[in-house]
Amino acid sequence: MKNFSFVNVENKADALEVLHREKEKSCLVAGATNVMPFIRYEKINDKTLINIRNLQELRFIREEEDKIEIGPLTTIYDLENSEIIEKYAPALREAAQDFADPTTRNSATIGGNIANASPAADTATPLLALNAVVVAESKSGVRKIPIQEFFLGVNKTALQCDELITVIEVPKNAANSNSCFIKLGLRNAMAISVVSVAAGVELAEGKVAHANVALGSVAPTPVRAKTVEAALVGKEFTPGLVEETAKLVTEDISPIDDVRASGEYRKTVAAVLVKRALKKSGKI
Amino acid sequence: MSEINITVTVNGTKINANVKPEMNLLKFLRSQGFYDVKCGCEMGDCGTCTVIFNGSSVKSCITLAAQADGGTVWTNKGLGEVDELTQKLQKAFVEHGSIQCGFCTPGMIIAGKAYIEKGGKPDRNEIKKAISGNLCRCTGYKKIVDAIYDVAEQMSK
Amino acid sequence: MSAMFKLVGKPAPRHDAWAKAKGDQLYSDDFTMPGMLYGKALRSKYPAAIIKSIDTSKAKALPGVHAVLTAKDVPMNVEISKFGQMKDVGGGFEGLYKVLADGKVRFKGEAIALVAAETEELAEEACRLIEVDYEVQPGVFDPEEALKPGAYIVSSDEGENESNLIMESHINKGDVEKAFAEADVIVENEYRVPPVDHAYLETEGGVAWVDDNGVITMRVGTQVLEHYRTIAKVMGLPQNKVRNMSVPMGGGFGGKEDITVETFLCLLANATKRPVKMVWSREESLEVHSKRHPEILRYKTAATKDGKITAQKVEIIMDGGGYKLLTGWVQMYSTVNAPGCYNIPNVKVDSYSALTNNTPSSANRGFGCCQANFASELQMDELAAKLGMSPLEIRLKNCLRNGDEICTGFIPQGHIALEEIAKKAWEGLEATGPKPDYVDGKKIGRGLAIGMMSYGRLTFMHDSSRVGLRIELDGSVTLRAGVPDLGGGQASVLCQIVAEELGIPMEKVHPYIMDTHLTPLCGTTTATRQLYMSGNAALVTVKVLKERIIKKAAEMLDAKPEEVQLINEKACLINNPLKSVPFVQVVGALSNDGVELFHEGQFNAPFTDVPNLHDMKGRIWPDFTYSAHAVEVAVDEETGKFEVRKVVLCYDVGKAINKNSCEGQLEGGCVYNQGYVTENMGWENGITKARSFAEYLIPTAVDAPEIETIMVESGGGLGPYGAKGVGEPADNSIAPAIVNAIYDAVGVRLKEMPVTPEKLLKAIQEKNK
Ligand SMILES: Cc1cc2nc3c(=O)[nH]c(=O)nc-3n(C[C@H](O)[C@H](O)[C@H](O)COP(=O)(O)OP(=O)(O)OC[C@H]3O[C@@H](n4cnc5c(N)ncnc54)[C@H](O)[C@@H]3O)c2cc1C
């Protein structure tokens, strides 16, 4: 039988306190859009549900000198409607626009999206391409986890059981400001991605200075397309180059067959989406 | 396992009840007799349980009842008694023939209200996006979009 | 004539629209009763197994559990089920209905035991405590395999345990072999269509209790009120002691045509003598309730150089799944509609249906017709492509026209508007502008499909309907009809007809509907029959009362009855409307005279004998509704993803009695079967992989196209005022039109649905090799 208890927390300090006390039994609940299905399907049980939905102090989007800071309780709706995000992390905004539907976007949070660590998490792909940093806090202190080290597997992250995500940092740079996101789903709304791609390129005198490419739904975690990136940097940014290098993405991914599509198909469209995202980001 | 006590203001009335910690807001509302909040999937996939929770539209099946403690909830039925925009939408749904089985209607009207309240314009594509999380199997959506369009137009005048 | 209608033809709001808009409408799950228990079914883990034993002792011992029932607790666990018809049809049509599995389990999710407990959670827990000893069997999941000698036998029940063949049916018209020998061109193709879930937003559910007189009473939404008779038989009770005070459904589409929760609830209520509620979860609904029949359809078509079809030979294999249910009836639709809506001199159709260990197949909007329509309309385009003709040309060359006979030799009575509507739909799409090559990088294509589908049940079922009316002393009218309302406005239109005839506003007619024992039985809300059958019954009934009123009014107005009309709540002289008497006064006078102010009338459809299934001939249905869909799609050639951008649909509806309702059916049907092209149950060896609406993807608002609806009103239908039925024909030709449009865009025609981006991309790549 289902066995849960519930604690409401009013501020961050409270939250850390309860996490410290409950340890493995902790289950933070923000928008609850992942937690509720998990409860229903009995994927989790014997947990203390710690309600952080009301922690307004963790719902913010701030612009700093060299980065932007996003609070974990920021909803997908907030991301979609933020001028800061639009300016410095357009990939994240586009991901928010393709996320579920407007009603779900009112509840779902960015913190919940990455902490849940689904390979298909729509904000994870852009955050990975944007070289974001996840700031995690517990009673014993604060640590910064580069997003590349954050996702460990399906529903597995580098977070300790008593840690709370308190900030997600996104560096301000040209590649990030040029970034974009493309999702392929089986429907035009309310669709889990078959493949998603985020890309940001920075050009200097026609040549690729930086190229960041990430993909979702093609491996147990969102992944960076390292081979593609390496093949781009330093080269003249032409449609020909993009078309050639996009194909290399199959080296970087290990998609599986599931109800939505086969691994083979995912490989094919991953290359197509990488090509399109690069062109869009580099404006060719 | 032990139940917790919550107080939620639903459609303007304070309701105090004991609930299981893992109960969803949908079941709570229905257990209190708010039957216009419909259960279609309990996974957030269909939108029939959409309500306004603390000012924004949410799917009540993927919201924890305990999270609503101290908060306010409005359902389509409650709003229909006090809110002019909701009344306009209800009327437009009736007149445009937007209702067949009616099971999606309460959620659909809430989604329409949320759209117009956020400044949504009479724009068919934007309206379709706004209701894209509310499934309807009967109407093909056309007459639902017609009704919301009509009200959006009235409101933008 | 039509200029004289006050209400008919107008977009009248339905009687229930306000209640639904305001959230006042109660559905099956919205009733609770004091002392109510929760029911739950334990379902089979395997698609094919033999139940060796069931141990319920632990479940029974759980505190809060009030009943645990298995097959041996059901008085008549195996019954032959009727589907609302009054006649014993025989011929293997009536399906076997089994309440709880015993012997062989036939599909995954089949109910094995029932539990009633204090809470839902306890009921679930009790189900977990029931121990079933299964001997897993290999099963058979492909209907063609199931029909081979030596195949695994799905059923262990008498009459079904020797072969998996459910039924075969054949049409032989002319001489196809001769026509093939003489043909200029021959086109041969195989088509495959998948199972479809109805995906109504309200799952199956309801409550039942034993009332103070010992009557087993329930509130369960169903398309077939008459099931109470089967339920009574199963329970070993008289038919006058099982009652359904039914409730409006949150959608039906054929999925609430078989018995769903009714028997389970009645058994549990009877066993516990307490009210019991049972509501299926979405997962349960997707897994266990019957689906649209998957079919394999093999076509061979002969034609002359100039595009006249001379012969069509079709073989159909239908997957009936674990139980026969409505397969026999559905098969009639697939068989007779196999040649499409064309005048073809030589036709041969051979259809076979088989039991398999898949989820049972049964009724689903379109009922065997849309499977055949899909295949035949793709076949037409294949032929057109081979001959270098346009899709419109080939259809105009061959489509049925007034006076033509269908493949059984029957000449439809109703008007056949195929030529007109095909042109109107196609020209309507062309009028939206010339076809662009690409839009936003996507390749554009246009496609056409047309179709016919019957309204009204198979004539050999001897269908009938009844409606009761009572005129109240204040001039309002009580309408009583056992018409299940699943959202199509089935009850409201009856009020509209009565109000029209009596010259009173629609609000003055109030419907009392859907009670097995208090409202006259109208027959099923299936087969696109309610407007035709109950509409005619309402008309027959109201005319009797109208005659009495006019006779009295004539007396009061000092005129002859033929000089009097009823209008604006008055009886007045046709030639001198100022000379009038209020309706309510005439009613008062009749009452004073002791004249009956009530009537219950019956309408009978045409009756025929059961056809010879080895050579089907003659009338099979009362009449047909004809459809045309012209579609524009956009295909992403690099990913295979496609969108339906525009649809222009055109129907001859006979007469649109309620304009909004009629358009609503056509638009709803269009998007319903737009979904046919892409929806995917993900069946694999009897396992349903699409277990939620996150996997079973029906179209959302942003997937639905912009639809232009053109209604032709020929007046040539058999319904009231010349109306035809539209509910099921509404989804008939959209799916093939979409697939044909994809062909127009990218030059590949996928002959198997669902059409996934993956399959489409593969086909495009192969073509480009
Ligand atoms: C109908 C539906 C559609 C969906 N569509 C999409 C989609 O299109 N794209 C997509 O990516 N996802 C989708 N999802 C999944 C889900 O909505 C998202 O993952 C969402 O962002 C989760 O956020 P939440 O606030 O609701 O998380 P919750 O459910 O509250 O929490 C999710 C997990 O994160 C943990 N957590 C939450 N906040 C923190 C924190 N601050 N620190 C540490 N851990 C934390 C929780 O403990 C839990 O394990 C969908 C879900 C549903 C039900």
Side-chain angles (χ1 to χ4, degrees):
Chain A
M1 284 231 191
K2 292 182 177 137
N3 180 26
F4 292 91
S5 56
F6 178 87
V7 186
N8 188 48
V9 293
E10 295 293 340
N11 55 49
K12 188 173 91 182
D14 267 4
L16 298 180
E17 195 61 48
V18 180
L19 280 169
H20 178 71
R21 190 182 74 215
E22 299 289 328
K23 303 243 162 30
E24 277 83 15
K25 285 199 78 177
S26 302
C27 176
L28 294 165
V29 190
T33 60
N34 279 131
V35 170
M36 295 309 290
F38 279 2
I39 293 176
R40 182 168 147 82
Y41 282 168
E42 299 180 16
K43 280 198 183 174
I44 56 173
N45 205 355
D46 301 311
K47 294 277 180 196
T48 302
L49 303 170
I50 308 169
N51 181 30
I52 55 171
R53 193 178 191 127
N54 306 325
L55 290 194
Q56 289 301 318
E57 61 184 296
L58 295 185
R59 183 175 178 180
F60 55 80
I61 299 169
R62 289 194 292 249
E63 182 177 350
E64 300 289 326
E65 175 88 23
D66 56 348
K67 64 186 173 199
I68 58 172
E69 295 185 336
I70 307 169
L73 267 296
T74 301
T75 63
I76 307 302
Y77 170 81
D78 298 338
L79 292 177
E80 196 187 346
N81 290 282
S82 155
E83 280 171 20
I84 298 175
I85 300 287
E86 187 180 0
K87 189 158 169 204
Y88 297 109
L92 203 48
R93 180 168 186 262
E94 288 167 10
Q97 289 169 330
D98 282 350
F99 193 105
D101 75 293
T103 311
T104 309
R105 302 206 279 266
N106 286 339
S107 289
T109 66
I110 187 168
N113 194 231
I114 62 168
N116 184 60
S118 154
D122 278 333
T123 69
T125 313
L127 287 173
L128 191 59
L130 297 166
N131 290 314
V133 174
V134 180
V135 182
E137 218 174 311
S138 69
K139 264 195 87 175
S140 27
V142 182
R143 57 179 187 127
K144 292 200 171 191
I145 311 167
I147 191 94
Q148 292 88 330
E149 293 161 27
F150 184 78
F151 300 110
L152 303 182
V154 178
N155 300 131
K156 283 202 193 76
T157 68
L159 289 174
Q160 300 296 317
C161 63
D162 63 346
E163 279 181 321
L164 175 75
I165 300 171
T166 50
V167 186
I168 297 156
E169 300 177 348
V170 177
K172 286 209 262 189
N173 57 45
N176 284 359
S177 290
N178 289 336
S179 67
C180 68
F181 173 83
I182 302 177
K183 165 172 168 175
L184 182 94
L186 295 181
R187 222 173 26 183
N188 289 334
M190 297 291 291
I192 298 167
S193 70
V194 170
V195 177
S196 69
V197 173
V201 290
E202 183 184 341
L203 304 178
E205 288 155 21
K207 293 215 167 81
V208 180
H210 294 282
N212 306 323
V213 181
L215 295 98
S217 296
V218 290
T221 65
V223 290
R224 282 289 282 260
K226 298 235 168 71
T227 318
V228 178
E229 293 173 358
L232 286 165
V233 173
K235 308 243 173 70
E236 198 153 334
F237 193 68
T238 61
L241 174 76
V242 169
E243 263 150 51
E244 277 318 302
T245 48
K247 289 183 192 146
L248 302 176
V249 73
T250 47
E251 307 279 313
D252 299 316
I253 60 179
S254 51
I256 53 157
D257 299 349
D258 68 9
V259 264
R260 278 170 273 281
S262 71
E264 261 326 291
Y265 177 72
R266 287 190 158 95
K267 281 189 180 165
T268 312
V269 290
V272 172
L273 298 194
V274 167
K275 175 185 77 182
R276 289 179 183 175
L278 285 170
K279 284 187 175 175
K280 190 171 163 199
S281 176
K283 302 187 179 63
I284 53 171
Chain B
M1 263 304 276
S2 61
E3 299 206 328
I4 53 167
N5 187 270
I6 62 170
T7 303
V8 190
T9 307
V10 186
N11 295 340
T13 306
K14 264 207 170 116
I15 292 175
N16 183 274
N18 288 335
V19 299
K20 290 228 171 88
E22 74 277 10
M23 184 187 231
N24 63 35
L25 182 59
L26 163 66
K27 288 230 159 134
F28 167 75
L29 291 168
R30 289 182 57 83
S31 72
Q32 297 296 323
F34 298 98
Y35 285 128
D36 62 312
V37 188
K38 299 288 171 217
C39 177
C41 71
E42 271 201 278
M43 291 289 282
D45 296 320
C46 79
T48 56
C49 66
T50 308
V51 298
I52 306 274
F53 170 47
N54 289 349
S56 44
S57 57
V58 303
K59 297 176 182 179
S60 60
C61 72
I62 47 169
T63 307
L64 212 47
Q67 288 183 309
D69 187 22
T72 57
V73 172
W74 286 95
T75 76
N76 169 54
K77 187 168 154 80
L79 285 167
E81 278 155 27
V82 295
D83 175 58
E84 200 188 328
L85 174 57
T86 307
Q87 288 161 355
K88 282 200 161 96
L89 281 161
Q90 291 178 347
K91 183 158 181 276
F93 269 60
V94 169
E95 286 172 354
H96 285 272
S98 323
I99 303 173
Q100 290 191 30
C101 85
F103 208 77
C104 74
T105 308
M108 216 38 115
I109 288 177
I110 298 273
K113 174 183 157 69
Y115 172 73
I116 294 170
E117 265 178 353
K118 283 178 182 164
K121 297 273 158 332
D123 174 319
R124 295 188 74 84
N125 283 333
E126 290 303 313
I127 292 169
K128 285 182 177 183
K129 284 186 199 163
I131 59 169
S132 61
N134 295 72
L135 299 178
C136 168
R137 192 62 155 169
C138 298
T139 64
Y141 302 102
K142 183 178 177 186
K143 294 192 188 310
I144 293 173
V145 176
D146 289 348
I148 299 173
Y149 186 99
D150 180 356
V151 179
E153 199 168 46
Q154 290 172 39
M155 300 307 281
S156 63
K157 267 178 195 154
Chain C
M1 160 94 171
S2 68
M4 285 173 60
F5 286 126
K6 280 278 176 221
L7 296 168
V8 165
K10 306 278 160 21
R14 305 209 190 136
H15 79 277
D16 54 354
W18 270 110
K20 286 175 173 174
K22 288 181 162 194
D24 290 331
Q25 179 74 63
L26 297 178
Y27 298 81
S28 292
D29 186 19
D30 300 339
F31 295 91
T32 41
M33 298 185 74
M36 190 172 83
L37 302 172
Y38 292 85
K40 186 99 196 142
L42 172 74
R43 298 186 173 281
S44 168
K45 280 199 236 172
Y46 306 102
I50 293 170
I51 300 177
K52 309 276 280 185
S53 64
I54 308 175
D55 182 353
T56 59
S57 54
K58 284 188 193 141
K60 280 182 176 154
L62 187 70
V65 172
H66 291 255
V68 182
L69 308 177
T70 61
K72 65 178 178 12
D73 302 306
V74 187
M76 291 275 278
N77 191 43
V78 182
E79 240 322 304
I80 300 298
S81 173
K82 283 218 185 66
F83 282 89
Q85 77 275 18
M86 305 289 184
K87 180 178 179 241
D88 282 319
V89 175
F93 278 97
E94 274 103 359
L96 178 141
Y97 169 58
K98 186 189 262 190
V99 183
L100 294 171
D102 59 2
K104 276 182 177 174
V105 165
R106 302 192 188 187
F107 67 97
K108 182 169 181 299
E110 181 172 5
I112 295 176
L114 300 171
V115 169
E118 301 276 347
T119 66
E120 250 179 296
E121 277 216 300
L122 271 174
E124 266 166 39
E125 188 61 26
C127 283
R128 259 176 239 155
L129 293 175
I130 300 172
E131 286 161 13
V132 183
D133 186 11
Y134 298 96
E135 186 182 311
V136 176
Q137 299 294 304
V140 60
F141 307 101
D142 175 312
E144 284 194 292
E145 290 299 319
L147 290 175
K148 285 186 184 155
Y152 172 79
I153 298 290
V154 172
S155 170
S156 53
D157 291 293
E158 216 187 295
E160 292 184 338
N161 54 4
E162 272 163 23
S163 133
N164 294 320
L165 179 72
I166 296 175
M167 182 181 273
E168 55 179 287
S169 50
H170 306 273
I171 289 172
N172 293 296
K173 182 188 179 199
D175 184 347
V176 285
E177 294 312 327
K178 183 161 172 279
F180 284 126
E182 293 166 358
D184 293 335
V185 288
I186 291 179
V187 177
E188 242 183 304
N189 283 297
E190 179 180 301
Y191 303 94
R192 284 173 186 256
V193 293
V196 171
D197 188 82
H198 311 76
Y200 24 68
L201 292 178
E202 178 208 41
T203 61
E204 302 77 357
V207 281
W209 66 98
V210 183
D211 85 355
D212 27 11
N213 290 310
V215 175
I216 311 269
T217 312
M218 58 194 137
R219 280 188 187 276
V220 178
T222 169
Q223 294 179 240
V224 182
L225 279 184
E226 290 80 356
H227 279 320
Y228 75 91
R229 294 185 166 134
T230 302
I231 299 161
K233 268 193 176 172
V234 163
M235 305 214 20
L237 292 170
Q239 292 183 358
N240 61 7
K241 288 215 162 159
V242 175
R243 173 181 178 201
N244 190 354
M245 305 161 64
S246 189
V247 275
M249 278 158 277
F253 313 110
K256 294 168 185 167
E257 184 165 337
D258 295 296
I259 293 172
T260 61
V261 297
E262 297 95 310
T263 318
F264 297 167
L265 282 171
C266 292
L267 286 165
L268 289 172
N270 199 34
T272 59
K273 298 289 182 277
R274 283 180 55 176
V276 183
K277 176 183 268 194
M278 178 184 277
V279 179
W280 290 354
S281 68
R282 178 57 59 191
E283 293 78 2
E284 219 171 358
S285 178
L286 281 165
E287 181 169 57
V288 310
H289 87 230
S290 52
K291 309 295 171 230
R292 177 180 289 168
H293 285 79
E295 295 183 11
I296 304 162
L297 306 104
R298 301 196 174 98
Y299 275 69
K300 184 174 174 185
T301 306
T304 62
K305 280 194 297 291
D306 58 353
K308 181 78 193 112
I309 301 173
T310 51
Q312 182 118 287
K313 190 170 147 190
V314 187
E315 184 191 45
I316 302 178
I317 316 286
M318 300 171 63
D319 182 352
Y323 281 88
K324 180 171 162 180
L325 303 177
L326 287 149
T327 293
W329 314 111
V330 175
Q331 188 164 337
M332 296 295 100
Y333 286 68
S334 282
T335 306
V336 180
N337 287 294
C341 48
Y342 301 101
N343 185 3
I344 306 175
N346 305 291
V347 175
K348 182 162 171 25
V349 185
D350 302 296
S351 305
Y352 307 87
S353 51
L355 290 174
T356 66
N357 292 97
N358 291 322
T359 307
S361 304
S362 197
N364 184 315
R365 190 182 202 174
F367 207 79
C369 186
C370 56
Q371 289 93 324
N373 175 262
F374 175 79
S376 65
E377 285 303 285
L378 261 60
Q379 184 76 355
M380 285 308 280
D381 267 31
E382 287 280 290
L383 181 62
K386 188 147 186 178
L387 290 165
M389 290 174 83
S390 82
L392 181 62
E393 258 180 292
I394 191 109
R395 286 174 174 78
L396 294 183
K397 183 118 203 157
N398 293 286
C399 70
L400 288 166
R401 289 172 171 80
N402 284 328
D404 289 347
E405 61 181 36
I406 64 167
C407 61
T408 57
F410 173 69
I411 299 173
Q413 276 183 317
H415 181 65
I416 304 177
L418 280 164
E419 183 175 356
E420 180 185 358
I421 61 175
K423 281 189 191 154
K424 281 199 163 134
W426 189 249
E427 284 158 10
L429 184 62
E430 287 189 325
T432 65
K435 183 181 84 171
D437 220 17
Y438 284 90
V439 171
D440 296 335
K442 290 181 196 133
K443 192 82 175 30
I444 303 299
R446 288 179 175 177
L448 175 71
I450 62 176
M452 65 192 260
M453 188 182 173
S454 53
Y455 56 94
R457 301 185 92 178
L458 295 154
T459 42
F460 59 88
M461 294 175 90
H462 294 195
D463 197 14
S464 60
S465 175
R466 290 142 289 273
V467 167
L469 290 172
R470 185 170 76 206
I471 303 182
E472 306 296 345
L473 295 183
D474 63 356
S476 64
V477 175
T478 298
L479 179 141
R480 295 183 305 115
V483 45
D485 200 319
L486 45 69
Q490 283 83 6
S492 214
V493 73
L494 304 182
C495 299
Q496 208 178 338
I497 290 168
V498 169
E500 175 74 43
E501 290 299 321
L502 296 180
I504 60 177
M506 202 175 139
E507 308 78 68
K508 287 251 165 138
V509 185
H510 191 78
Y512 290 79
I513 57 174
M514 297 192 276
D515 189 311
T516 50
H517 291 76
L518 296 184
T519 55
L521 292 173
C522 284
T524 63
T525 298
T526 69
T528 311
R529 64 177 286 289
Q530 284 297 7
L531 173 63
Y532 164 49
M533 295 298 299
S534 302
N536 274 330
L539 205 52
V540 165
T541 309
V542 73
K543 283 202 164 142
V544 171
L545 292 172
K546 185 177 176 181
E547 198 185 305
R548 289 179 200 158
I549 291 165
I550 287 197
K551 188 165 164 241
K552 186 73 202 170
E555 245 176 77
M556 294 163 84
L557 290 168
D558 226 356
K560 295 203 191 84
E562 53 274 22
E563 292 166 352
V564 176
Q565 66 172 351
L566 301 180
I567 192 163
N568 295 334
E569 296 188 77
K570 289 189 192 85
C572 64
L573 296 189
I574 296 169
N575 292 331
N576 180 10
L578 290 178
K579 194 158 177 216
S580 71
V581 50
F583 182 77
V584 64
Q585 268 184 33
V586 189
V587 170
L590 283 169
S591 179
N592 273 340
D593 294 351
V595 173
E596 287 168 11
L597 286 169
F598 58 87
H599 185 67
E600 187 174 319
Q602 172 161 326
F603 175 77
N604 290 340
F607 292 177
T608 59
D609 292 334
V610 179
N612 171 2
L613 295 183
H614 286 276
D615 186 14
M616 289 175 62
K617 290 268 184 281
R619 182 178 218 166
I620 310 289
W621 296 281
D623 190 30
F624 303 91
T625 299
Y626 304 91
S627 63
H629 287 91
V631 169
E632 183 173 301
V633 298
V635 184
D636 183 332
E637 294 165 289
E638 286 183 313
T639 65
K641 199 175 161 178
F642 67 93
E643 271 164 51
V644 183
R645 284 163 50 86
K646 294 178 195 164
V647 173
V648 180
L649 59 85
C650 184
Y651 277 72
D652 174 13
V653 301
K655 173 85 203 158
I657 295 189
N658 184 331
K659 188 167 166 290
N660 270 347
S661 292
C662 203
E663 285 175 355
Q665 286 298 307
L666 300 179
E667 289 154 9
C670 173
V671 176
Y672 188 89
N673 255 13
Q674 174 193 346
Y676 196 16
V677 182
T678 50
E679 287 165 23
N680 191 353
M681 297 298 310
W683 277 4
E684 230 176 83
N685 292 333
I687 312 289
T688 299
K689 293 211 162 158
R691 287 183 43 83
S692 75
F693 278 165
E695 284 124 7
Y696 191 76
L697 302 177
I698 68 171
T700 71
V702 286
D703 300 294
E706 282 300 312
I707 302 171
E708 186 186 328
T709 309
I710 305 172
M711 295 197 290
V712 170
E713 297 185 86
S714 68
L718 308 185
Y721 314 111
K724 295 189 173 214
V726 293
E728 290 183 274
D731 72 4
N732 204 19
S733 39
I734 177 68
I738 293 170
V739 176
N740 285 339
I742 293 173
Y743 174 85
D744 181 53
V746 292
V748 297
R749 192 169 345 260
L750 288 191
K751 302 186 182 87
E752 180 176 355
M753 295 191 288
V755 177
T756 61
E758 179 161 2
K759 279 202 253 169
L760 185 52
L761 182 63
K762 204 178 251 168
I764 293 171
Q765 286 171 338
E766 234 136 67
K767 181 188 155 251
N768 292 343
K769 252 180 202 162

